[in-house]
Each structure stands twice: as C-alpha cells, then as structure tokens.
C-alpha cells in the first residue's frame, strides 16, 4: 500500500531529479521510490556513501552523492 508523504528538498536537486525521471520515463516520486528501495537492498554501500558525505561536510568540502 502506498502512502502519501511530504518532504522538503533542495530545488536544484529536485530539478535535476525531474530531468532524470523524464529520461527514464517515470515520475520524480517513482525515481525516489526506486532509490530508497535500492538503498534498502544495498544497505552496506548506502552506509559507506553516507559516511563519506558526512566526512566531506565535516572537512569543509561540499559533498554530493
């Protein structure tokens, strides 16, 4: 069962995500759903990426995934 949720997201990231979703012929919410599903299935890789981003932010670098 799907649930409607509201999130706040950086407008630049949203625009980029919408363009990517169009490329794959899906919606932005469909793209988010797939990304979350992939993150759950690949938990170790997701944790490594989040740790890396945290290190970049702590060292003063603007880190993006």
């Amino acid at each position: 069962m799907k649930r409607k949720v509201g999130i706040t997201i950086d407008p630049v990231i949203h625009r980029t995500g919408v363009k990517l979703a169009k490329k794959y012929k899906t919606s932005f919410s469909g793209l988010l759903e797939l990304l979350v599903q992939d993150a759950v299935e690949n938990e170790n890789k997701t944790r490594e990426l989040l740790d890396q981003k945290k290190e970049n932010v702590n060292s003063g670098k603007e880190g993006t995934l």
Side-chain angles (χ1 to χ4, degrees):
M1 177 179 200
K2 295 194 178 203
R3 180 170 290 185
K4 185 175 181 177
V5 298
I7 61 169
T8 303
I9 189 166
D10 184 322
V12 174
I13 293 173
H14 182 262
R15 281 192 297 272
T16 304
V18 168
K19 288 178 186 176
L20 187 61
K22 285 181 182 179
K23 178 180 176 181
Y24 291 110
K25 298 180 182 175
T26 187
S27 64
F28 182 70
S29 62
L31 181 63
L32 284 176
E33 187 176 339
L34 287 173
L35 289 171
V36 170
Q37 182 179 356
D38 183 62
V40 169
E41 292 172 359
N42 299 299
E43 185 177 352
N44 291 335
K45 180 67 175 172
T46 302
R47 185 170 307 281
E48 289 173 15
L49 289 171
L50 289 172
D51 289 344
Q52 179 183 357
K53 182 173 181 168
K54 186 186 290 185
E55 288 173 11
N56 289 344
V57 169
N58 289 341
S59 68
K61 298 177 185 173
E62 280 294 319
T64 58
L65 296 179

